């Protein structure tokens, strides 16, 4: 799949990496396992999104470098930090620069506009 090609993954990572805050290890004794690299977790999340596989399968496809639990926890951490919202906004802006996307006429309501008419057949 094209999205999993190394050059595509590198380009996506280049967009995501600046959005991630450098998390400081706050464990008082420093005696726990080191944090899994963000890049590995990002690749696992992308694998899951692209293939639709389970978290366990994504773990296996990454060669057991990271657990499925860590993948889900990192996803939740990044969702809470707004990383994916910022990435989506950046993707729309990039598409707009390249193609000229105009979202001003898009309505976010589920209701029909006043000029739309609906006829009911009984």
């Amino acid at each position: 799949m094209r999205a999993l090609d190394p050059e595509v993954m590198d380009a996506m990572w280049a967009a995501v990496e600046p959005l991630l805050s450098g998390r400081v290890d706050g464990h008082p004794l420093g005696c726990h396992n080191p944090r899994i690299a963000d890049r590995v977790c990002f690749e696992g999340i992308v694998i899951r999104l692209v293939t639709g596989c389970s978290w366990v399968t994504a773990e296996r496809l990454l060669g057991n470098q990271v657990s499925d639990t860590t993948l889900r926890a990192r996803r939740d951490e990044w969702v809470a930090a707004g990383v994916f919202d910022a990435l989506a906004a950046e993707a729309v802006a990039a598409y707009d620069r390249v193609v000229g996307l105009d979202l001003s006429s898009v309505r976010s309501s589920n209701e029909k506009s006043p000029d739309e008419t609906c006829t009911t057949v009984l």
Side-chain angles (χ1 to χ4, degrees):
M1 289 185 194
R2 180 77 177 129
L4 298 178
D5 287 348
E7 61 271 9
V8 175
M9 191 69 77
D10 290 342
M12 288 189 297
W13 176 245
V16 169
E17 187 176 23
L19 302 174
L20 302 176
S21 62
R23 185 165 183 236
V24 178
D25 183 9
H27 195 279
L29 300 177
C31 59
H32 60 292
N33 291 333
R35 183 175 168 91
I36 301 295
D38 287 336
R39 172 72 188 247
V40 173
C41 292
F42 177 72
E43 288 182 11
I45 292 168
V46 170
I47 287 170
R48 170 122 162 75
L49 289 171
V50 170
T51 65
C53 68
S54 69
W55 290 108
V56 174
T57 302
E59 172 188 351
R60 300 291 187 274
L61 290 172
L62 286 170
N64 295 319
Q65 296 178 66
V66 59
S67 72
D68 59 307
T69 303
T70 300
L71 289 174
R72 288 191 302 271
R74 199 68 58 90
R75 177 212 50 202
D76 294 344
E77 178 183 318
W78 293 345
V79 166
V83 171
F84 296 115
D85 290 336
L87 185 61
E90 186 175 327
V92 168
Y95 185 85
D96 185 30
R97 285 191 302 273
V98 173
V99 177
L101 180 66
D102 179 18
L103 295 176
S104 62
S105 64
V106 175
R107 293 175 48 113
S108 62
S109 174
N110 288 334
E111 298 178 19
K112 292 186 178 220
S113 64
D115 62 329
E116 292 177 314
T117 59
C118 178
T119 57
T120 305
V121 178
L122 296 175

